[in-house]
PDB file of all heavy atoms in Angstrom:
ATOM      1  N   LEU A 152      -4.022   3.089 -10.223  1.00  0.00           N
ATOM      2  CA  LEU A 152      -5.312   2.897  -9.552  1.00  0.00           C
ATOM      3  C   LEU A 152      -5.824   4.140  -8.845  1.00  0.00           C
ATOM      4  O   LEU A 152      -6.923   4.118  -8.409  1.00  0.00           O
ATOM      5  CB  LEU A 152      -5.120   1.715  -8.517  1.00  0.00           C
ATOM      6  CG  LEU A 152      -4.921   0.354  -9.117  1.00  0.00           C
ATOM      7  CD1 LEU A 152      -4.652  -0.651  -8.040  1.00  0.00           C
ATOM      8  CD2 LEU A 152      -6.290  -0.037  -9.895  1.00  0.00           C
ATOM      9  N   MET A 153      -4.963   5.240  -8.786  1.00  0.00           N
ATOM     10  CA  MET A 153      -5.429   6.364  -7.997  1.00  0.00           C
ATOM     11  C   MET A 153      -6.679   6.988  -8.484  1.00  0.00           C
ATOM     12  O   MET A 153      -7.560   7.408  -7.694  1.00  0.00           O
ATOM     13  CB  MET A 153      -4.317   7.393  -8.034  1.00  0.00           C
ATOM     14  CG  MET A 153      -3.939   7.882  -6.697  1.00  0.00           C
ATOM     15  SD  MET A 153      -2.547   9.002  -6.719  1.00  0.00           S
ATOM     16  CE  MET A 153      -1.290   7.942  -6.000  1.00  0.00           C
ATOM     17  N   ASN A 154      -6.921   7.100  -9.857  1.00  0.00           N
ATOM     18  CA  ASN A 154      -8.175   7.683 -10.305  1.00  0.00           C
ATOM     19  C   ASN A 154      -9.293   6.741 -10.224  1.00  0.00           C
ATOM     20  O   ASN A 154     -10.423   7.261 -10.229  1.00  0.00           O
ATOM     21  CB  ASN A 154      -7.956   8.122 -11.766  1.00  0.00           C
ATOM     22  CG  ASN A 154      -7.077   9.424 -11.851  1.00  0.00           C
ATOM     23  OD1 ASN A 154      -7.071  10.194 -10.978  1.00  0.00           O
ATOM     24  ND2 ASN A 154      -6.332   9.481 -12.955  1.00  0.00           N
ATOM     25  N   VAL A 155      -9.097   5.505 -10.064  1.00  0.00           N
ATOM     26  CA  VAL A 155     -10.186   4.535  -9.945  1.00  0.00           C
ATOM     27  C   VAL A 155     -10.630   4.339  -8.472  1.00  0.00           C
ATOM     28  O   VAL A 155     -11.773   4.466  -8.119  1.00  0.00           O
ATOM     29  CB  VAL A 155      -9.730   3.194 -10.601  1.00  0.00           C
ATOM     30  CG1 VAL A 155     -10.842   2.105 -10.359  1.00  0.00           C
ATOM     31  CG2 VAL A 155      -9.385   3.269 -12.055  1.00  0.00           C
ATOM     32  N   LEU A 156      -9.635   4.089  -7.549  1.00  0.00           N
ATOM     33  CA  LEU A 156      -9.904   3.848  -6.221  1.00  0.00           C
ATOM     34  C   LEU A 156      -9.829   5.118  -5.325  1.00  0.00           C
ATOM     35  O   LEU A 156     -10.307   5.103  -4.218  1.00  0.00           O
ATOM     36  CB  LEU A 156      -8.897   2.794  -5.694  1.00  0.00           C
ATOM     37  CG  LEU A 156      -8.807   1.486  -6.407  1.00  0.00           C
ATOM     38  CD1 LEU A 156      -7.754   0.626  -5.696  1.00  0.00           C
ATOM     39  CD2 LEU A 156     -10.178   0.794  -6.256  1.00  0.00           C
ATOM     40  N   GLY A 157      -9.226   6.160  -5.820  1.00  0.00           N
ATOM     41  CA  GLY A 157      -8.978   7.369  -5.046  1.00  0.00           C
ATOM     42  C   GLY A 157      -7.667   7.249  -4.367  1.00  0.00           C
ATOM     43  O   GLY A 157      -7.051   6.237  -4.213  1.00  0.00           O
ATOM     44  N   PHE A 158      -7.091   8.515  -4.063  1.00  0.00           N
ATOM     45  CA  PHE A 158      -5.788   8.552  -3.518  1.00  0.00           C
ATOM     46  C   PHE A 158      -5.639   7.827  -2.185  1.00  0.00           C
ATOM     47  O   PHE A 158      -4.678   7.048  -1.944  1.00  0.00           O
ATOM     48  CB  PHE A 158      -5.387  10.069  -3.281  1.00  0.00           C
ATOM     49  CG  PHE A 158      -4.028  10.187  -2.603  1.00  0.00           C
ATOM     50  CD1 PHE A 158      -2.871  10.144  -3.384  1.00  0.00           C
ATOM     51  CD2 PHE A 158      -3.928  10.274  -1.267  1.00  0.00           C
ATOM     52  CE1 PHE A 158      -1.614  10.282  -2.795  1.00  0.00           C
ATOM     53  CE2 PHE A 158      -2.635  10.349  -0.631  1.00  0.00           C
ATOM     54  CZ  PHE A 158      -1.546  10.320  -1.426  1.00  0.00           C
ATOM     55  N   ALA A 159      -6.694   8.002  -1.308  1.00  0.00           N
ATOM     56  CA  ALA A 159      -6.520   7.466  -0.001  1.00  0.00           C
ATOM     57  C   ALA A 159      -6.433   5.957  -0.008  1.00  0.00           C
ATOM     58  O   ALA A 159      -5.517   5.360   0.708  1.00  0.00           O
ATOM     59  CB  ALA A 159      -7.725   7.864   0.903  1.00  0.00           C
ATOM     60  N   LEU A 160      -7.210   5.306  -0.778  1.00  0.00           N
ATOM     61  CA  LEU A 160      -7.264   3.831  -0.786  1.00  0.00           C
ATOM     62  C   LEU A 160      -6.026   3.268  -1.530  1.00  0.00           C
ATOM     63  O   LEU A 160      -5.416   2.312  -1.149  1.00  0.00           O
ATOM     64  CB  LEU A 160      -8.508   3.304  -1.439  1.00  0.00           C
ATOM     65  CG  LEU A 160      -8.751   1.778  -1.435  1.00  0.00           C
ATOM     66  CD1 LEU A 160      -8.621   1.167  -0.086  1.00  0.00           C
ATOM     67  CD2 LEU A 160     -10.086   1.437  -2.093  1.00  0.00           C
ATOM     68  N   ALA A 161      -5.667   3.970  -2.660  1.00  0.00           N
ATOM     69  CA  ALA A 161      -4.453   3.513  -3.398  1.00  0.00           C
ATOM     70  C   ALA A 161      -3.211   3.707  -2.559  1.00  0.00           C
ATOM     71  O   ALA A 161      -2.336   2.800  -2.532  1.00  0.00           O
ATOM     72  CB  ALA A 161      -4.403   4.260  -4.748  1.00  0.00           C
ATOM     73  N   TYR A 162      -3.140   4.816  -1.863  1.00  0.00           N
ATOM     74  CA  TYR A 162      -1.982   5.034  -0.994  1.00  0.00           C
ATOM     75  C   TYR A 162      -1.949   4.073   0.153  1.00  0.00           C
ATOM     76  O   TYR A 162      -0.883   3.528   0.482  1.00  0.00           O
ATOM     77  CB  TYR A 162      -2.040   6.524  -0.449  1.00  0.00           C
ATOM     78  CG  TYR A 162      -0.900   6.705   0.473  1.00  0.00           C
ATOM     79  CD1 TYR A 162       0.406   7.029   0.071  1.00  0.00           C
ATOM     80  CD2 TYR A 162      -1.132   6.680   1.893  1.00  0.00           C
ATOM     81  CE1 TYR A 162       1.414   7.272   0.911  1.00  0.00           C
ATOM     82  CE2 TYR A 162      -0.107   6.983   2.758  1.00  0.00           C
ATOM     83  CZ  TYR A 162       1.184   7.244   2.301  1.00  0.00           C
ATOM     84  OH  TYR A 162       2.165   7.488   3.224  1.00  0.00           O
ATOM     85  N   ALA A 163      -3.086   3.808   0.742  1.00  0.00           N
ATOM     86  CA  ALA A 163      -3.180   2.887   1.812  1.00  0.00           C
ATOM     87  C   ALA A 163      -2.719   1.426   1.351  1.00  0.00           C
ATOM     88  O   ALA A 163      -1.994   0.728   2.110  1.00  0.00           O
ATOM     89  CB  ALA A 163      -4.540   2.770   2.462  1.00  0.00           C
ATOM     90  N   MET A 164      -3.175   1.008   0.196  1.00  0.00           N
ATOM     91  CA  MET A 164      -2.792  -0.180  -0.360  1.00  0.00           C
ATOM     92  C   MET A 164      -1.251  -0.277  -0.552  1.00  0.00           C
ATOM     93  O   MET A 164      -0.576  -1.300  -0.217  1.00  0.00           O
ATOM     94  CB  MET A 164      -3.580  -0.615  -1.616  1.00  0.00           C
ATOM     95  CG  MET A 164      -5.061  -0.873  -1.354  1.00  0.00           C
ATOM     96  SD  MET A 164      -6.016  -0.947  -2.889  1.00  0.00           S
ATOM     97  CE  MET A 164      -5.213  -2.228  -3.756  1.00  0.00           C
ATOM     98  N   LEU A 165      -0.723   0.739  -1.150  1.00  0.00           N
ATOM     99  CA  LEU A 165       0.732   0.822  -1.458  1.00  0.00           C
ATOM    100  C   LEU A 165       1.531   0.738  -0.140  1.00  0.00           C
ATOM    101  O   LEU A 165       2.488   0.022   0.019  1.00  0.00           O
ATOM    102  CB  LEU A 165       1.093   2.048  -2.235  1.00  0.00           C
ATOM    103  CG  LEU A 165       2.654   2.340  -2.353  1.00  0.00           C
ATOM    104  CD1 LEU A 165       3.244   1.269  -3.243  1.00  0.00           C
ATOM    105  CD2 LEU A 165       2.864   3.734  -2.869  1.00  0.00           C
ATOM    106  N   THR A 166       1.108   1.511   0.841  1.00  0.00           N
ATOM    107  CA  THR A 166       1.737   1.526   2.143  1.00  0.00           C
ATOM    108  C   THR A 166       1.752   0.158   2.845  1.00  0.00           C
ATOM    109  O   THR A 166       2.744  -0.338   3.391  1.00  0.00           O
ATOM    110  CB  THR A 166       1.156   2.630   3.088  1.00  0.00           C
ATOM    111  OG1 THR A 166       1.221   3.865   2.299  1.00  0.00           O
ATOM    112  CG2 THR A 166       1.906   2.745   4.373  1.00  0.00           C
ATOM    113  N   TRP A 167       0.571  -0.441   2.852  1.00  0.00           N
ATOM    114  CA  TRP A 167       0.388  -1.805   3.445  1.00  0.00           C
ATOM    115  C   TRP A 167       1.335  -2.778   2.779  1.00  0.00           C
ATOM    116  O   TRP A 167       1.997  -3.530   3.373  1.00  0.00           O
ATOM    117  CB  TRP A 167      -1.078  -2.318   3.241  1.00  0.00           C
ATOM    118  CG  TRP A 167      -1.159  -3.729   3.649  1.00  0.00           C
ATOM    119  CD1 TRP A 167      -1.279  -4.176   4.922  1.00  0.00           C
ATOM    120  CD2 TRP A 167      -1.031  -4.858   2.880  1.00  0.00           C
ATOM    121  NE1 TRP A 167      -1.252  -5.566   4.919  1.00  0.00           N
ATOM    122  CE2 TRP A 167      -1.109  -5.997   3.664  1.00  0.00           C
ATOM    123  CE3 TRP A 167      -0.778  -5.006   1.458  1.00  0.00           C
ATOM    124  CZ2 TRP A 167      -0.944  -7.361   3.104  1.00  0.00           C
ATOM    125  CZ3 TRP A 167      -0.700  -6.269   0.924  1.00  0.00           C
ATOM    126  CH2 TRP A 167      -0.845  -7.409   1.807  1.00  0.00           C
ATOM    127  N   PHE A 168       1.420  -2.750   1.402  1.00  0.00           N
ATOM    128  CA  PHE A 168       2.259  -3.638   0.632  1.00  0.00           C
ATOM    129  C   PHE A 168       3.714  -3.466   1.053  1.00  0.00           C
ATOM    130  O   PHE A 168       4.396  -4.429   1.244  1.00  0.00           O
ATOM    131  CB  PHE A 168       2.078  -3.438  -0.857  1.00  0.00           C
ATOM    132  CG  PHE A 168       3.010  -4.299  -1.706  1.00  0.00           C
ATOM    133  CD1 PHE A 168       2.704  -5.557  -1.889  1.00  0.00           C
ATOM    134  CD2 PHE A 168       4.201  -3.774  -2.190  1.00  0.00           C
ATOM    135  CE1 PHE A 168       3.466  -6.409  -2.689  1.00  0.00           C
ATOM    136  CE2 PHE A 168       4.992  -4.598  -2.987  1.00  0.00           C
ATOM    137  CZ  PHE A 168       4.674  -5.886  -3.138  1.00  0.00           C
ATOM    138  N   ILE A 169       4.161  -2.174   1.098  1.00  0.00           N
ATOM    139  CA  ILE A 169       5.558  -1.915   1.375  1.00  0.00           C
ATOM    140  C   ILE A 169       5.879  -2.338   2.865  1.00  0.00           C
ATOM    141  O   ILE A 169       6.881  -3.076   3.090  1.00  0.00           O
ATOM    142  CB  ILE A 169       5.926  -0.425   1.202  1.00  0.00           C
ATOM    143  CG1 ILE A 169       5.881  -0.228  -0.331  1.00  0.00           C
ATOM    144  CG2 ILE A 169       7.255  -0.103   1.711  1.00  0.00           C
ATOM    145  CD1 ILE A 169       6.100   1.237  -0.693  1.00  0.00           C
ATOM    146  N   VAL A 170       4.999  -2.052   3.763  1.00  0.00           N
ATOM    147  CA  VAL A 170       5.244  -2.405   5.156  1.00  0.00           C
ATOM    148  C   VAL A 170       5.130  -3.882   5.381  1.00  0.00           C
ATOM    149  O   VAL A 170       5.979  -4.548   5.991  1.00  0.00           O
ATOM    150  CB  VAL A 170       4.355  -1.629   6.165  1.00  0.00           C
ATOM    151  CG1 VAL A 170       4.570  -2.086   7.564  1.00  0.00           C
ATOM    152  CG2 VAL A 170       4.681  -0.129   6.015  1.00  0.00           C
ATOM    153  N   ALA A 171       4.021  -4.566   4.890  1.00  0.00           N
ATOM    154  CA  ALA A 171       3.680  -5.925   5.232  1.00  0.00           C
ATOM    155  C   ALA A 171       4.578  -6.889   4.418  1.00  0.00           C
ATOM    156  O   ALA A 171       5.092  -7.790   4.948  1.00  0.00           O
ATOM    157  CB  ALA A 171       2.234  -6.240   5.040  1.00  0.00           C
ATOM    158  N   VAL A 172       4.669  -6.614   3.109  1.00  0.00           N
ATOM    159  CA  VAL A 172       5.248  -7.572   2.177  1.00  0.00           C
ATOM    160  C   VAL A 172       6.789  -7.235   2.028  1.00  0.00           C
ATOM    161  O   VAL A 172       7.588  -8.172   2.260  1.00  0.00           O
ATOM    162  CB  VAL A 172       4.488  -7.572   0.809  1.00  0.00           C
ATOM    163  CG1 VAL A 172       5.303  -8.393  -0.146  1.00  0.00           C
ATOM    164  CG2 VAL A 172       3.124  -7.990   0.989  1.00  0.00           C
ATOM    165  N   MET A 173       7.092  -6.053   1.725  1.00  0.00           N
ATOM    166  CA  MET A 173       8.467  -5.678   1.469  1.00  0.00           C
ATOM    167  C   MET A 173       9.337  -5.701   2.788  1.00  0.00           C
ATOM    168  O   MET A 173      10.450  -6.194   2.800  1.00  0.00           O
ATOM    169  CB  MET A 173       8.572  -4.336   0.779  1.00  0.00           C
ATOM    170  CG  MET A 173       7.860  -4.303  -0.576  1.00  0.00           C
ATOM    171  SD  MET A 173       8.432  -5.542  -1.756  1.00  0.00           S
ATOM    172  CE  MET A 173      10.042  -4.987  -2.153  1.00  0.00           C
ATOM    173  N   ALA A 174       8.801  -5.045   3.836  1.00  0.00           N
ATOM    174  CA  ALA A 174       9.512  -4.912   5.070  1.00  0.00           C
ATOM    175  C   ALA A 174       9.195  -6.018   6.043  1.00  0.00           C
ATOM    176  O   ALA A 174       9.833  -6.123   7.104  1.00  0.00           O
ATOM    177  CB  ALA A 174       9.232  -3.539   5.752  1.00  0.00           C
ATOM    178  N   ARG A 175       8.250  -6.895   5.730  1.00  0.00           N
ATOM    179  CA  ARG A 175       7.957  -8.080   6.486  1.00  0.00           C
ATOM    180  C   ARG A 175       7.562  -7.757   7.954  1.00  0.00           C
ATOM    181  O   ARG A 175       8.083  -8.304   8.877  1.00  0.00           O
ATOM    182  CB  ARG A 175       8.993  -9.145   6.413  1.00  0.00           C
ATOM    183  CG  ARG A 175       9.196  -9.644   4.982  1.00  0.00           C
ATOM    184  CD  ARG A 175      10.341 -10.715   4.958  1.00  0.00           C
ATOM    185  NE  ARG A 175      10.536 -11.160   3.602  1.00  0.00           N
ATOM    186  CZ  ARG A 175      11.653 -10.907   2.968  1.00  0.00           C
ATOM    187  NH1 ARG A 175      12.611 -10.146   3.439  1.00  0.00           N
ATOM    188  NH2 ARG A 175      11.727 -11.420   1.708  1.00  0.00           N
ATOM    189  N   ARG A 176       6.653  -6.746   8.113  1.00  0.00           N
ATOM    190  CA  ARG A 176       6.360  -6.344   9.405  1.00  0.00           C
ATOM    191  C   ARG A 176       4.909  -6.977   9.720  1.00  0.00           C
ATOM    192  O   ARG A 176       4.156  -7.301   8.747  1.00  0.00           O
ATOM    193  CB  ARG A 176       6.128  -4.843   9.549  1.00  0.00           C
ATOM    194  CG  ARG A 176       7.510  -4.158   9.391  1.00  0.00           C
ATOM    195  CD  ARG A 176       8.413  -4.456  10.528  1.00  0.00           C
ATOM    196  NE  ARG A 176       9.677  -3.743  10.401  1.00  0.00           N
ATOM    197  CZ  ARG A 176      10.859  -4.306  10.301  1.00  0.00           C
ATOM    198  NH1 ARG A 176      10.938  -5.695  10.230  1.00  0.00           N
ATOM    199  NH2 ARG A 176      11.989  -3.756  10.168  1.00  0.00           N
ATOM    200  N   PRO A 177       4.540  -7.105  11.004  1.00  0.00           N
ATOM    201  CA  PRO A 177       3.248  -7.696  11.329  1.00  0.00           C
ATOM    202  C   PRO A 177       2.084  -6.918  10.702  1.00  0.00           C
ATOM    203  O   PRO A 177       2.184  -5.662  10.524  1.00  0.00           O
ATOM    204  CB  PRO A 177       3.139  -7.599  12.848  1.00  0.00           C
ATOM    205  CG  PRO A 177       4.605  -7.401  13.340  1.00  0.00           C
ATOM    206  CD  PRO A 177       5.314  -6.746  12.209  1.00  0.00           C
TER     207      PRO A 177
END
């Protein structure tokens, strides 16, 4: 998705997923 959404948005989505879903943080 990086070339479609841009690095910043794709990275933010990945980071959110890892922190919220994988690590189960608030």
